[in-house]
Amino acid sequence: NPMPLPPSFGALCTIVFALPAAPLAQPRIIILAHTWAMSVAVALIFIFNPYHHIWLQKALAVGITVSGMAKFGILNPPAGAVSLAMLTYANSASYSDHGLLFLIVSTYLGCAVCIVVGMVWHNLFLGRTYPMFW
């Protein structure tokens, strides 16, 4: 019973479709920020034992994710929710390695779909340029 898509895609779509010229809406930032967030979450999953210090795991996940994104210049607020969602899943009763892999693949596919649909929407229908840069 894998966890559904991360809850960050609503916020990601809002940014891509409402703020297409913003730096945080650009494809490179989206992919790198989500990759960073998932890497932080996976590292914390393997550092901590399941069901131990869950509050600390979640706090570290969001803190490390956001500070790392700011440090690397890849700030994308919805990606912070990805690390939190992955740790929530890792500490649930339905956790499995296959479910974690599903969550990683679905995150990348969701980002790709959001970027591609944003490109089609802005470039074909609205006459705007998206992405502004890669």
Side-chain angles (χ1 to χ4, degrees):
N1 183 14
M3 183 179 179
L5 293 173
S8 66
F9 287 123
L12 181 61
C13 288
T14 301
I15 290 171
V16 169
F17 291 103
L19 303 166
L24 59 127
Q26 304 310 309
R28 180 184 68 86
I29 303 281
I30 291 171
I31 298 296
L32 290 177
H34 280 80
T35 300
W36 172 251
M38 290 186 291
S39 300
V40 168
V42 168
L44 289 173
I45 287 168
F46 288 107
I47 289 172
F48 285 93
N49 291 330
Y51 311 115
H52 290 101
H53 307 292
I54 297 171
W55 61 272
L56 181 61
Q57 293 178 42
K58 292 179 179 182
L60 284 173
V62 174
I64 294 170
T65 298
V66 173
S67 62
M69 286 189 298
K71 174 71 176 167
F72 299 136
I74 54 171
L75 196 58
N76 185 278
V82 169
S83 61
L84 187 61
M86 289 180 74
L87 276 168
T88 300
Y89 173 68
N91 287 297
S92 70
S94 61
Y95 173 76
S96 70
D97 289 337
H98 296 294
L100 185 63
L101 181 62
F102 172 80
L103 195 55
I104 291 170
V105 170
S106 66
T107 299
Y108 278 126
L109 285 176
C111 288
V113 167
C114 187
I115 291 167
V116 169
V117 172
M119 288 170 57
V120 170
W121 177 256
H122 289 295
N123 293 326
L124 292 181
F125 297 120
L126 298 180
R128 295 185 229 173
T129 302
Y130 178 78
M132 301 299 284
F133 57 89
W134 288 89

